[in-house]
Amino acid sequence: MSCLDERKILTREKRLSTVSHYNGTLETLKDELLGDEIRQRVRTFSQTTYDEIIYAVQALSKIEQAAVIVHGAAGCAASGIYFNQELPFQWYSTNLNERDTILGSDEKLRRTVIRVCEETGAKTIFIVGTPVVAINNDDINSLLPELEEELNIRVIFIYTDGFKTKTAVNGYDIVLHSLLRYIVEKTGASDRKTEDFINVVTLSENIETLDSVTKILEDLGISFLLLPQYASIDGIRLAGRAKATIVLNTEEGGYFARELEEVFGVSYIETDVPAGIRGTRKFINQVAKALELQERAAGYIEEQERVLQKYVKKNILAGRQVFLQTGTAWTERYIELVESLGGSVSGIAVPGVGQEDRSLLERLGTVKKTLPVTVAVGQPFEKANMLAKKEADFYLAVREDAVFAAGRGCIPVSLKRTACLGYEGVKQLISRLEQAEKGGELRRLAEEKEKAYYKASWLRKSSGWYVKQEVK
């Protein structure tokens, strides 16, 4: 049965037994994933982290023709400031206070929705839930139909509360569930209209990465619709008309593609992650085969890889150790990319693992079984602690900042503003590695600062001393 039959989607812990806290070795993690139920863990200490509300706000922040109301205290909406850097993101806060928390905030929400409708002209208003709303138990679902009828606008409640899950990526699932349930046009698989484009599901990829991937599609003559990032409400409505769907990060957007296939009849082209030369080649061949473009793709791959060889021959990581922080679904290809440049991986940090990652971990059979693995979002202390015990030459962070690693003598390399996928991603990674290695003085200053920040006694503790097995 499709998850869309339900108003709310189950958390990743319940659907996929996802673990967001773990610290150990690759072998131990693989053994745990073999069981029917993965043992959950809790952190007795967190230095910094994201939650599902922030992920939900991020997913909504780049949708055109939409406005977002964060229903809670003003601080709950603060992430909107950050996500407003690239696009004019229209977000509001109901700014609930103590009185609203006790007596209810229906009227304040009503006034905010009316104001947003008048000021923005948005076609859809999303209301993001917060812990305050979960506590005061506002009857939002009774209010929304009245507002929709009064204002002639779609108003959708995003069921985030910050309590039920420790897995931040669950915020993406909740948003995608709402888009599929309330925005995408409903047609039966037999009578749906098919148009000449494919869906490209993207949630966290930066603009440089998207430029790299979309250039490949454009060069192959493939029309596409990016969603939900950089899509309009009108564009998302058409997702059910696509010939097929591809996902750049299955860990984040796989749910959307699977439901589109099951409920709307849109084929899901399951592809490799287009990271590194081999991964990009496999990605292109998989898409080309599904769309019957094999001949065109073969010539394109040959041409691009011939140009790329002059970059790869530099072997910039020869004999170097790399601690790798990346998305779970991207891990295999990024390990392969590091090794293709002459390096080896000394440790891995990923945001979460679950039952759907079993095959991925099995494919990492060539990696040492004793390889340190941390499962966490944020938590720079945990990674700094691991680096203090197992030296690395480079700390490569695909999505997040890496400057803290300088304090452990590593060369920090963040791809936060760099293309991470496609052939262009390989070129830009090599360029970033070269730039980072030249920044010796900056690293020395950062190292002095960070050494003073983390006390030696703290770093001598086990890197997972505060990660405890959950007691039921």
Side-chain angles (χ1 to χ4, degrees):
M1 184 179 74
S2 168
C3 293
L4 294 186
D5 294 332
E6 302 296 329
R7 189 174 64 186
K8 300 179 184 179
I9 185 172
L10 292 175
T11 64
R12 290 223 175 178
E13 286 90 342
K14 292 183 178 179
R15 284 168 37 233
L16 305 170
S17 295
T18 297
V19 172
S20 54
H21 307 318
Y22 173 83
N23 196 284
T25 65
L26 180 61
E27 181 179 29
T28 305
L29 181 59
K30 288 168 68 173
D31 289 344
E32 287 201 20
L33 285 175
L34 293 175
D36 294 332
E37 184 179 358
I38 304 173
R39 290 179 292 177
Q40 291 292 332
R41 290 170 170 78
V42 295
R43 273 192 169 83
T44 57
F45 167 78
S46 288
Q47 183 180 353
T48 180
T49 190
Y50 300 97
D51 64 10
E52 62 172 351
I53 298 171
I54 292 177
Y55 270 48
V57 172
Q58 180 194 350
L60 296 168
S61 68
K62 293 183 177 65
I63 298 178
E64 299 175 9
Q65 301 174 321
V68 176
I69 297 173
V70 181
H71 189 28
C76 294
S79 60
I81 300 171
Y82 177 80
F83 298 130
N84 201 25
Q85 294 179 79
E86 295 180 8
L87 288 175
F89 170 35
Q90 302 183 105
W91 62 275
Y92 292 73
S93 170
T94 48
N95 191 23
L96 304 186
N97 55 30
E98 294 90 339
R99 185 178 186 278
D100 301 319
T101 305
I102 297 169
L103 300 179
S105 52
D106 290 2
E107 187 54 37
K108 188 171 268 189
L109 177 60
R110 172 187 288 278
R111 292 198 305 269
T112 306
V113 171
I114 293 172
R115 176 185 170 187
V116 171
C117 184
E118 292 173 347
E119 292 184 0
T120 67
K123 290 192 173 183
T124 300
I125 296 174
F126 294 99
I127 300 172
V128 177
T130 63
V132 175
V133 179
I135 291 170
N136 71 9
N137 202 27
D138 279 351
D139 189 9
I140 295 174
N141 287 311
S142 296
L143 177 64
L144 297 191
E146 299 174 19
L147 287 168
E148 288 185 328
E149 185 176 353
E150 178 183 342
L151 303 173
N152 193 28
I153 187 174
R154 193 59 150 143
V155 185
I156 299 172
F157 184 48
I158 304 297
Y159 291 93
T160 52
D161 58 31
F163 287 135
K164 294 185 178 66
T165 180
K166 303 181 187 74
T167 307
V169 74
N170 198 70
Y172 289 159
D173 294 345
I174 297 170
V175 169
L176 295 175
H177 184 81
S178 296
L179 295 179
L180 287 163
R181 186 173 168 85
Y182 301 111
I183 302 295
V184 179
E185 283 182 352
K186 301 293 189 300
T187 56
S190 58
D191 59 349
R192 77 181 186 95
K193 299 177 182 178
T194 304
E195 298 187 15
D196 189 26
F197 69 90
I198 65 170
N199 298 317
V200 179
V201 181
T202 166
L203 283 147
S204 66
E205 289 77 20
N206 59 31
I207 193 66
E208 292 84 2
T209 297
L210 292 178
D211 283 345
S212 176
V213 174
T214 55
K215 184 180 186 304
I216 292 173
L217 299 177
E218 289 168 351
D219 289 347
L220 294 174
I222 300 171
S223 298
F224 58 87
L225 169 66
L226 293 176
L227 55 87
Q229 280 203 104
Y230 304 107
S232 64
I233 292 295
D234 290 339
I236 294 172
R237 285 196 181 106
L238 300 178
R241 299 189 184 187
K243 291 190 296 185
T245 302
I246 61 174
V247 181
L248 299 184
N249 189 336
T250 54
E251 168 193 5
E252 297 175 349
Y255 170 73
F256 192 86
R258 289 189 292 270
E259 290 296 322
L260 268 180
E261 182 172 58
E262 180 179 347
V263 178
F264 298 86
V266 182
S267 298
Y268 176 18
I269 306 174
E270 297 190 51
T271 67
D272 251 63
V273 177
I277 296 177
R278 184 180 177 188
T280 303
R281 183 194 309 138
K282 291 188 73 173
F283 168 83
I284 293 172
N285 281 328
Q286 288 160 337
V287 174
K289 182 179 180 180
L291 301 179
E292 299 182 347
L293 298 170
Q294 294 97 318
E295 187 174 339
R296 188 185 305 175
Y300 180 76
I301 291 170
E302 183 180 355
E303 177 187 352
Q304 293 297 316
E305 293 190 5
R306 184 172 59 249
V307 172
L308 200 58
Q309 283 308 309
K310 67 178 182 180
Y311 294 89
V312 179
K313 282 180 180 178
K314 295 179 181 180
N315 217 26
I316 191 170
L317 291 176
R320 314 297 281 278
Q321 294 282 320
V322 178
F323 194 101
L324 179 61
Q325 177 176 330
T326 181
T328 308
W330 294 15
T331 305
E332 179 184 12
R333 289 299 168 223
Y334 258 89
I335 291 176
E336 189 176 82
L337 177 54
V338 167
E339 292 174 346
S340 73
L341 297 175
S344 58
V345 175
S346 63
I348 300 173
V350 295
V353 291
Q355 290 177 340
E356 60 181 2
D357 299 310
R358 287 171 174 167
S359 60
L360 168 64
L361 292 179
E362 286 300 320
R363 293 197 300 272
L364 298 181
T366 58
V367 180
K368 289 186 297 184
K369 293 181 178 180
T370 56
L371 188 74
V373 177
T374 179
V375 179
V377 176
Q379 310 308 325
F381 154 71
E382 182 173 303
K383 294 152 195 170
N385 184 291
M386 295 178 76
L387 292 171
K389 294 178 173 61
K390 190 172 181 64
E391 293 184 359
D393 299 293
F394 287 91
Y395 185 94
L396 177 58
V398 171
R399 180 179 172 185
E400 298 183 24
D401 296 322
V403 68
F404 75 90
R408 310 271 52 88
C410 293
I411 300 175
V413 181
S414 172
L415 303 185
K416 197 172 184 179
R417 294 289 181 264
T418 305
C420 301
L421 302 178
Y423 293 124
E424 185 61 30
V426 178
K427 296 177 189 176
Q428 292 192 23
L429 170 60
I430 294 172
S431 175
R432 288 286 294 113
L433 289 169
E434 290 175 334
Q435 292 170 10
E437 197 159 24
K438 292 175 183 176
E441 181 63 20
L442 181 61
R443 279 203 316 280
R444 184 186 65 78
L445 294 172
E447 184 174 354
E448 290 177 359
K449 178 183 177 182
E450 293 298 323
K451 276 185 175 176
Y453 188 71
Y454 292 116
K455 299 296 183 183
S457 59
W458 201 359
L459 293 172
R460 282 196 295 268
K461 289 179 178 288
S462 164
S463 55
W465 67 269
Y466 54 90
V467 179
K468 311 298 182 184
Q469 187 172 325
E470 191 172 64
V471 178
K472 294 186 177 181

